[in-house]
Amino acid sequence: MMQEAGTAEATSNGTAKQNGVAAELGLRDIRSKSATPSSDITATNLMTLQQQQALQVARQLLLKQQQQQHQSGAIKSPKSNEKQAALQVPVSVAMMTPQVITPQQMQQILQQQVLSPQQLQILLQQQQALMLQQQQLQDFYKKQQESLQLQLLQQQHGSKQHSKEVSTQQLAFQQQLLQVQQLQQQHLLSLQRQGLLSIQANQNLPLHSLTQGVIPAELQQLWKEVTGTHVKEEFSGRNNGHRGLDLSSASPVPPKSSHLNQQHATTNGQYSSHALKRESSAPDEHTHHSHPLYAHGVCKWPGCEAVFEDFQSFLKHLNNEHALDDRSTAQCRVQMQVVQQLELQLAKDKERLQAMMTHLHVKSTEPKPTPQPLNLVSNATLSKTAPGASPPLSLPQTPTTPTTPLTPLSQAHSVITPTSLHSVGPIRRRYSDKYSMPISPDIGQNKEFYMNTDVRPPFTYASLIRQAILESPERQLTLNEIYNWFTRMFAYFRRNAATWKGAVRTNLSLHKCFVRVEDDFGSFWTVDNEEFIRGRHIQRGRPRRHGVDNNNYDKLLVQSPALVKNIQTSLGYGPVLPATFQASMAENSIPLYTTASIGSPTLNSLANAIREEMNGAMDHGNSNGSDSSPGRSPLPAMHHINIKEEPLDPEEHEGPLSLVTANHSPDFDHHRDYEDDHGNEDML
DNA sequence: ATCCTGCTAAACATAA
DNA sequence: TTTATGTTTAGCAGGA
């Protein structure tokens, strides 16, 4: 798996939790058999990883040498399965973690060998003749598929960024870099390999694989050919095999390859469309049993994994099962999209990186329009321990190439100042905490960023939930829809589902601003903006009595859990204050940030108005902004709704405006009224 | 240091 | 019984 689903995600919080459940959501589909550490890499891990990979590559080379010796003479009967197997590991490893191996490293590694580069070159060529062909095909293909799926699903989980010393911006930068590197390296490696391949003699290129790293235009062309020309070709009884698209007609063609190789040699890793075309027109793709769709005796057609004894039967299968029909066409299209997606992603990320680099170098004070988190930088992994790092100045400003994973850090380090951003993301900084700042603008601005980057959004769950609900056409969502929104909008929430889903549920219950409504079709959640403004915090429930404070409460409650509610009730209301007063207290007890809305309706209105304004469009229809509004969110007119929960919560009325309702009887939801206790508590 | 708040885990309840 | 959905509480950690 690209990323260990269950890995205990060190939450910024420190409460390291490991829900093995993890990532069922976004990852569910990714069941690649090969583990790729490509993501979830901490900064430090990166280094070790890098080293390991270097070793792997080196090992790989050694292996090749050995084999070479044994075989004296590069004969390519890819039948030696053991060798294949032997090589398989290193190769795949190298491929799987391309993002860390820079060309320079490769070079270095090569040079470290006992042999001269030239020798190595030769060796490599021969070896490639032996192994790489199939190997590469398979691995690369796998890799492509996996990464694609991964991207589609979770748009790459950048790094995990546990380093708490880095500013959030740095992290964003780092992530960006990683992403780009990943993509670039993928590209690079593929090209590299293909380049190597192309050098060797007597080998025809796995054309199909080429397409995987090719430019969209090329793909387009290809697709055109497939969809358009192909039919004709079929009729003509000729198979101009288009890189794996020739399946329909792929008739066993008599081997003859040398000529083809020539072409490869000329292209040598460079794939001009021209070259591709010429190559593709060569009808002998499967000559050496090296059909791109056939590896290790298995049909590599997406979704197929049929096993075949020999190449012939595979071809038969190919023609029968994967002929040019709707299904195959669709699959092909998907594959193309996959590739295009990758290309696109790469282009995008490159651009983004460029912008970031530029920005950082220029130290421009202006916010860049780049998709990096604008306002706040999220990042959950950052911690305040960062102070040390905060004075970025100190760090060496080593100019580095984007290819080196870590450097960007230092670079970023040196340029990014905490002040440059709205705030240094402490851990998960809640964006909307102290101010009912709508998160929508921020989300909007950084939408793409959050969608693609595995960073924790700096918003509280409550804010996010609210956002999700308000974004919906009906301003109401079922729990499941809320889940979906989370996963859709944030890469971060594509894993550890059990954790955040639980948090979502908890928040829904806990915050008064979320109102559960039932209709004929089930239940859904709406937002009471009024409440949201007032005190989005633990309104709903009992007083917050845990923690250092409120010990008395704890004691009381602990003694008789069963009586908790009663006790609280009596404590809260009875003894202390008149109901009316309590009501007002309740209002006041709401955390300070709501001050504006407490007390006078006027103020509240004002606050509300402001908020409305800030929120812009998204609020319309909801609370009419009136203080006295039933508060109960936008009940959809269409259904028969039935607000289950505290339909007419007393507080509702007290609302901002006041002390009125004081007489909430403990009848309905005792605990609902406990905030009053809370208020009292404060007094106590 | 204290208090407030958000997050997470967990226990528990309930309905499908 | 299992699963999804809700509710409530405890404890931890960050921020003011």
Side-chain angles (χ1 to χ4, degrees), chain A residues 43-90:
Chain A
T44 47
N45 283 344
L46 261 177
M47 292 205 95
T48 46
L49 201 65
Q50 214 170 339
Q51 294 170 344
Q52 288 177 351
Q53 286 173 338
L55 282 175
Q56 302 256 20
V57 174
R59 201 179 307 153
Q60 178 185 348
L61 289 172
L62 282 174
L63 248 174
K64 287 178 181 173
Q65 288 178 17
Q66 289 173 2
Q67 290 186 358
Q68 167 68 34
Q69 291 168 358
H70 286 297
Q71 294 213 359
S72 73
I75 311 307
K76 55 251 93 209
S77 46
K79 289 162 190 173
S80 49
N81 291 328
E82 340 168 8
K83 288 164 211 153
Q84 278 191 2
L87 274 186
Q88 193 160 356
V89 179

Side-chain angles (χ1 to χ4, degrees), chain A residues 461-474:
Chain A
Y461 279 110
S463 300
L464 291 173
I465 294 168
R466 174 174 174 271
Q467 181 68 19
I469 294 173
L470 293 180
E471 265 185 17
S472 67
E474 303 287 331

Side-chain angles (χ1 to χ4, degrees), chain A residues 540-606:
Chain A
R540 231 196 243 310
R542 60 294 122 165
R544 207 180 158 100
R545 56 190 181 308
H546 59 272
V548 188
D549 47 341
N550 300 326
N551 287 322
N552 293 333
Y553 253 107
D554 277 312
K555 284 170 193 166
L556 279 174
L557 297 177
V558 167
Q559 302 196 340
S560 172
L563 299 178
V564 167
K565 285 185 180 178
N566 292 330
I567 293 175
Q568 284 182 325
T569 306
S570 61
L571 268 183
Y573 292 98
V576 190
L577 295 170
T580 45
F581 188 53
Q582 287 173 28
S584 70
M585 282 317 293
E587 285 299 307
N588 288 297
S589 69
I590 295 168
L592 347 114
Y593 39 83
T594 55
T595 27
S597 58
I598 347 176
S600 92
T602 316
L603 282 180
N604 188 52
S605 296
L606 182 59

Side-chain angles (χ1 to χ4, degrees), chain A residues 212-224:
Chain A
Q212 312 256 353
V214 182
I215 26 183
E218 188 59 37
L219 292 168
Q220 293 287 6
Q221 175 63 28
L222 195 154
W223 180 243
K224 269 186 214 158

Side-chain angles (χ1 to χ4, degrees), chain A residues 360-361 363 394-400 410-411 414-415:
Chain A
L360 294 177
H361 274 307
K363 288 185 177 180
S394 55
L395 285 184
Q397 193 158 358
T398 38
T400 50
S410 55
Q411 195 174 17
S414 54
V415 198

